[in-house]
Amino acid sequence: MTANTAEPEEHAVDPADRRREQRGWYFYDFACSVYSTSVVTVFLGPYLTSVARAAADAEGFVHPLGIPVRAGSLFAYAVSASIVVAVLVMPLVGAVADRTGRKKPLLAAAAYLGAAATMGMFFLDGDRYLLGAFLLIVANASLAVSMVLYNAYLPQIAEPDERDAVSSRGWAFGYTSGALVLVLNLVVYSGHESFGLSEGTAVRVCLASAGLWWGAFTLVPLRRLRDRRIPPNAEGSVGGGWRQLMATLRDMRRHPLTLSFLLAYLIYNDGVQTVISQASVFGSEELGLDQTTLITAVLLVQVLAIGGALGMGRMARSYGAKRTILASLAVWALILAAGYFLPAGAPVAFFFLAAAIGLVLGGSQALSRSLFSHLVPRGKEAEYFSAYEMSDRGLSWLGPLVFGLAYQLTGSYRDAIISLVIFFVVGFVLLARVPVRAAVAAAGNPVPERI
């Protein structure tokens, strides 16, 4: 997305109008974050795995399109496939948005397609594993496309000196809604008998309610955000999204230190995203933990992620962002090592692991984004961050694929979870080799006292 191509009119002149748009913008995070939290992180992994196992042959394999897939790997493979679909679609949607200036209808289409697919998960019962995988791919890809459009509004609704605060508030709205809906899910799931529901039906109700929430609260940003006029010389072809991305990546070659940081980020962030998406499968299938324990653990992550991000922000002021991120990557590797040795049926130990994840989750991602902002040449913020988003989505299929293959080959989720250590080790080594002060100077930006 080339959000900087709009005319100066793209900023709301009246501060009150701009704040009104910002409040509407926050609510898309509030709307869609419940999908990431309730569906991907908590319920769908274990439930889809159980559905696949019901359809599996005597050796434990299902055969989508005639391909033998171990039932326990299906969820990871579907997540990986959804990212590939998203990467193919995002540049095309970006080109249409750039050509027409009409992000809002595209955001609505992506959001409601994802919400509808999520609500459709209510019908995921019996041995309908193919339906589950299909709905996951559609919903996950729709979320990714909608987030590109959503993020592209930020330069239009916030002045440069307020973007950090606006972005952080959106992030906080998302974590708040995720925690709130998880509490409601916990009530429904743990009390399913009193509601006259079976355990499986309670899970399907929780899945579908996330889609309903996503669709309902998307109405707020759609009412408050507005589209801007585009300049006459805007990119006009459907291939423009890919051409813009390629042009930006070529320009990055003139800033090899920025590119080096981006590569390190893409690798370790893929590890982060895979741990989050596969943790519930590991907890239920390998450790034998029930859904109530998993929901409580994710709630713990949601709450501690906010405090952890603030705490790591303070650490960065004292030790610099790079050192703080490196320390968090070491903690991530230790978390995976501890997970490998975690005894089955030990919820308290799992809670300690969840607490550790929460303390490093928000901070490692927030500091990575702020550090990258120092490495972006002035005047190229929007296009570099567009490449940052595109490249992030482009590599995020690799972690779930590694996780799925490790389980496919070994039949052990412990081996699958420990295989992700490589992402943090390689990311740590690559980041440690980036001279960030020189990178900031090479980008033409003032070098902070600590970075």
Side-chain angles (χ1 to χ4, degrees), residues 260-261 264 268 322-323 325-326 329 424-436:
S260 296
F261 170 80
Y268 68 72
K322 177 183 173 180
R323 290 181 179 176
I325 295 170
L326 287 172
L329 298 183
F424 297 101
V425 171
V426 173
F428 183 100
V429 171
L430 292 177
L431 178 59
R433 292 169 60 87
V434 178
V436 291

Side-chain angles (χ1 to χ4, degrees), residues 96-259:
V96 173
D98 287 340
R99 184 178 73 244
T100 64
R102 302 190 66 199
K103 295 185 190 70
K104 192 157 68 169
L106 294 169
L107 175 62
Y112 282 108
L113 178 60
T118 306
M119 286 188 283
M121 292 175 187
F122 179 79
F123 302 101
L124 177 59
D125 59 358
D127 58 359
R128 298 178 177 175
Y129 75 95
L130 282 176
L131 174 64
F134 173 75
L135 292 174
L136 169 59
I137 290 170
V138 172
N140 236 29
S142 298
L143 176 66
V145 171
S146 73
M147 288 305 293
V148 170
L149 296 162
Y150 166 74
N151 289 335
Y153 271 103
L154 183 58
Q156 297 180 334
I157 65 172
E159 300 292 348
D161 60 351
E162 62 180 352
R163 286 178 198 164
D164 287 344
V166 170
S167 178
S168 296
R169 289 189 199 109
W171 177 83
F173 263 57
Y175 270 99
T176 301
S177 73
L180 175 60
V181 173
L182 269 182
V183 170
L184 298 176
N185 291 158
L186 183 59
V187 171
V188 172
Y189 181 81
S190 60
H192 62 84
E193 292 181 353
S194 62
F195 293 112
L197 302 174
S198 68
E199 183 177 340
T201 302
V203 170
R204 292 189 289 118
V205 167
C206 291
L207 292 171
S209 66
L212 184 62
W213 181 285
W214 184 358
F217 283 100
T218 295
L219 290 172
V220 180
L222 292 181
R223 286 180 62 86
R224 293 197 173 188
L225 292 172
R226 62 187 183 88
D227 286 327
R228 271 73 173 173
R229 293 196 308 267
I230 60 171
N233 61 347
E235 193 74 67
S237 68
V238 173
W242 278 109
R243 285 200 295 272
Q244 177 63 49
L245 177 62
M246 293 301 105
T248 301
L249 292 176
R250 282 195 298 272
D251 186 72
M252 281 185 175
R253 293 168 59 186
R254 298 172 46 238
H255 303 280
L257 297 181
T258 299
L259 202 56

Side-chain angles (χ1 to χ4, degrees), residues 1-7 10 152 155-156 163 231 379-383:
M1 302 293 299
T2 52
N4 269 2
T5 60
E7 294 177 289
E10 70 177 54
Q156 297 180 334
R163 286 178 198 164
K380 295 180 179 287
E381 292 85 359
E383 61 182 87

Side-chain angles (χ1 to χ4, degrees), residues 44 176 286 334 345 354 403 408:
L44 188 57
T176 301
E286 187 68 39
L334 290 174
F403 185 93
Q408 175 100 357

